[in-house]
Amino acid sequence: MWLLQLLAVAVTVHAAYWMEEIAHQGRSSFNPDPNYRVFRNVKDYGAVGDGVTDDTGAINRAIQDGNRCGGDSPCVGSTVTPAVVYLPAGTYKISSSIIDYYYTQLIGDPTNMPVIKGTPDFSPGTLCLVEADRYTNAGYLQFGSTNVFFRQIRNIIFDTTDVQIGACGIHWPSSQATSIQNCVFKLSSRPNDVHVGIFMEEGSGGFLNDLVFYGGLYGVQFGNQQYTVRNLTFVGSRTAVKQLWNWGWTYKSLNIIGCDVGIDMANSNVGGVTLLDSTFTNVNRAIITDRNPANDTGQGSFVMENVRFENVPTVFGGPDGTVYLAGSGDGVGNWYVPQGPYAYFGSQPLVFPRPPVLVQGNRFYERSKPQYEDVPASKFLSARTFGAVGDGITDDTKALNTLFLMGALRYNEGVVVFLDAGYYKVSDTVNILSNIRIVGEGMSSVILGAGSKFSDINNPRAVLQIGSPGQLAYVEISDIFVSTQGGTAGAILIEYNVRTPASSPPSGLWDAHVRVGGFAGSQLQVAQCPKTPNVATVPNPDCIAAYMSFHITRTAGNLYVENSWIWVADHDIEDANNTQINVYAGRGLLVESASGGIWLVATSVEHHTLYQYQLVNTRDIWMGQIQTETPYYQPNPPAPAPFSAVNVALSDPDFASVCQGSDNTFTIPWTPTGSPACGMAWGLRVLNSHNVVIFGAGLYSFFNNYDTRCSTRTAGEQCQSRIFWADDNMGVVYNLDTIGSVNMVSRSSVDLARWAENFATFASTVAVLWL
Ligand SMILES: *[C@@H]1O[C@H](CO)[C@@H](O)[C@H](O)[C@H]1NC(C)=O
Ligand SMILES: *[C@@H]1O[C@H](CO)[C@@H](O)[C@H](O)[C@H]1NC(C)=O
Ligand SMILES: *[C@@H]1O[C@H](CO)[C@@H](O)[C@H](O)[C@H]1NC(C)=O
């Protein structure tokens, strides 16, 4: 007993965070410089962190090192210069902005969070303490906001309290596979100061979690197509959240305390806000809308479920002080605006009952990406130390299989498998056999399936197989990518079979991404897979690069997935003009889990040929905010090409029979007067599934054969006829928004909602659908 206690003390006295201490062997496999360093500790670049020294230059040098994409270079995107910029504990004074580069993670020590503090004479020149995407002298964002991928900020306190007049913490135009996690913002509330924690004006995101904001004129200003934010606390901000615009936005677990205004969504460019599991305490006006109650469009849709108000005089009101819903002391609210005529309730009561397996306490279950604060560096099992090469050339199949076996055998010792940054090329399936914890580095730890075993379109095979069918296990995986190289028409990138016992927390995948094509080393770039809109396209077999991206199989269950981007490239990231490409992948995310208990938090699936999300014979699924895009090349060729065989075992849609009707118009090229095409991928297809609860869904179809004219209101939103299929008794969808589809949701042989009656912003929006 005594001895154990002494040991515990000895361990906690000094052990720096593992990320600081571990051997730094991460590499960028496809960077021509063999000495390119992924990991950088700002102290190695001269940062002092003593609260006195000006560390601006040192931190920026740590970011810039290695001829990276950013700064004055014309680079608009690159996957070959990833970086982890690490800040040990300390207070780092800065007198002008930290300029973030493409593909950067800024990570502080979570056991003793570093502070980045603006000096009183902070000269922005740009806008914020951290400029994730700065404005160039020409007045444009350096990186197109919808192409700002692969970046994170974690474990940092941003302090603007010394800065006079105007200041902000992070400027964050952002898109998929980005996040800000576990940060604190200390903002001035002096009467003449305009301080903002996060300023985000554009993008296609995205995910934020575990943030705390103190003070400020605005805690945050948010404008983006769609986003999921979870677990944000605002204390004493004038307005906690200023919603500048959106198509759809999901707020889960907000705590708004002592603010004048909670969420100000009074802007006609706001499509929909979904708010759940939140509290407002001592707030004068919780939600402000400018939606005219007589408005019969979908603009300004608002859904609120399980929100608690304490000392809130106005729950829902207009900017002029009109009160639509007054507070009444302490209450829990559920409310939907608009309430008709296209909100579809059937004969059900207003609130869809929460499936008990998805709930913990009084909230839907949520859990943040583990950072292993309490695991010493000695417990991390490095892939590279273990003999995996990770150079994008060597076959690492055996090395990874042995590594994952070792990680499973030593799981009970508290071992975490560390996949150092690098491309681990594999010629056959890599298996995870039992309980395991795996973490990647720099958003650049990639398992790259290549070769003949993955190339047979009639014999699909998993690249990463997590558990064998029926296996009971517990897994935690974060910050990894699974990809393919060249023609791999038989590749299933992730096959997830694990069933985690209900007695255990769910298994978790955080920032586990699928990326098919469009990156250096993929052999699926402009040179190999150019787009061909001007001819009838015959798909190049070497550009068919996945059979399915992610399969959650029948035996799988009890799984939490957060911030996962399942992407088939629509453009080549390395190309100076982000030129579009034709890369084909059959199926997106297929969920067949019979037992269910699946959370898909902030996930998006894009550009697969048959469907993005498909749920079959499953139940108890939480999804929110999901986002999809139809392939840009369709209908040239029309779906299902190049996947001609219908796989009945996987419940593939049968386009040949579906498109027999009057919609059978594979119009090539698109003409303004033509009918919408039918040979287009489903955004979401739900078959024989129940208790599916969707808090925010954006299903988009912007193109017909690379032409965007079909996705405008004047053209009649007719890129495709249907985008969302739901069988009977599926569950509920809050704030569905669609673009470019004539019908927003279809069930049996009935189209339930059309875009025209529900137009909102650029998208059409329906607040509530009981399906
Ligand atoms: C929410 O965020 C706070 C502060 O970052 C953190 O301490 C807490 O554990 C988070 N809650 C959940 C449920 O993740
Ligand atoms: C409803 O809102 C839309 C979008 O802001 C606007 O264009 C339209 O004029 C409004 N209609 C009414 C009747 O208020
Ligand atoms: C990018 O586009 C510009 C302008 O159209 C063109 O001059 C340039 O050659 C293009 N660069 C590449 C790499 O395609």
Side-chain angles (χ1 to χ4, degrees), residues 83 139 199 244 257 739:
F199 171 59
L244 303 170
I257 303 159
I739 290 170

mmCIF file of all heavy atoms in Angstrom, residues 83 139 199 244 257 739:
data_model
loop_
_atom_site.group_PDB
_atom_site.id
_atom_site.type_symbol
_atom_site.label_atom_id
_atom_site.label_comp_id
_atom_site.label_asym_id
_atom_site.label_seq_id
_atom_site.Cartn_x
_atom_site.Cartn_y
_atom_site.Cartn_z
ATOM 1 N N ALA A 83 2.952 19.694 -40.421
ATOM 2 C CA ALA A 83 3.768 20.036 -39.245
ATOM 3 C C ALA A 83 2.949 19.971 -37.965
ATOM 4 O O ALA A 83 1.785 20.361 -37.931
ATOM 5 C CB ALA A 83 4.361 21.431 -39.401
ATOM 6 N N GLY A 139 -6.439 41.264 -50.898
ATOM 7 C CA GLY A 139 -7.758 41.245 -50.267
ATOM 8 C C GLY A 139 -8.449 39.896 -50.277
ATOM 9 O O GLY A 139 -9.626 39.792 -49.928
ATOM 10 N N PHE A 199 -13.086 34.109 -34.942
ATOM 11 C CA PHE A 199 -13.750 34.773 -36.059
ATOM 12 C C PHE A 199 -13.662 33.849 -37.273
ATOM 13 O O PHE A 199 -12.583 33.517 -37.742
ATOM 14 C CB PHE A 199 -13.087 36.119 -36.353
ATOM 15 C CG PHE A 199 -13.578 36.767 -37.617
ATOM 16 C CD1 PHE A 199 -14.921 37.079 -37.767
ATOM 17 C CD2 PHE A 199 -12.720 37.032 -38.674
ATOM 18 C CE1 PHE A 199 -15.388 37.661 -38.939
ATOM 19 C CE2 PHE A 199 -13.176 37.616 -39.844
ATOM 20 C CZ PHE A 199 -14.517 37.934 -39.978
ATOM 21 N N LEU A 244 -23.168 34.549 -38.307
ATOM 22 C CA LEU A 244 -23.136 35.473 -39.447
ATOM 23 C C LEU A 244 -23.956 34.935 -40.615
ATOM 24 O O LEU A 244 -24.668 35.674 -41.279
ATOM 25 C CB LEU A 244 -21.688 35.702 -39.891
ATOM 26 C CG LEU A 244 -20.738 36.241 -38.818
ATOM 27 C CD1 LEU A 244 -19.300 36.193 -39.308
ATOM 28 C CD2 LEU A 244 -21.121 37.664 -38.438
ATOM 29 N N ILE A 257 -23.463 31.510 -19.919
ATOM 30 C CA ILE A 257 -23.613 31.987 -18.541
ATOM 31 C C ILE A 257 -23.335 33.489 -18.478
ATOM 32 O O ILE A 257 -22.274 33.954 -18.921
ATOM 33 C CB ILE A 257 -22.611 31.251 -17.607
ATOM 34 C CG1 ILE A 257 -22.831 29.731 -17.694
ATOM 35 C CG2 ILE A 257 -22.735 31.745 -16.165
ATOM 36 C CD1 ILE A 257 -21.638 28.918 -17.248
ATOM 37 N N ILE A 739 -29.114 21.103 -51.573
ATOM 38 C CA ILE A 739 -28.812 21.986 -52.701
ATOM 39 C C ILE A 739 -28.824 21.147 -53.963
ATOM 40 O O ILE A 739 -28.273 20.030 -53.973
ATOM 41 C CB ILE A 739 -27.429 22.644 -52.515
ATOM 42 C CG1 ILE A 739 -27.477 23.668 -51.371
ATOM 43 C CG2 ILE A 739 -26.956 23.333 -53.804
ATOM 44 C CD1 ILE A 739 -26.136 24.193 -50.959
#
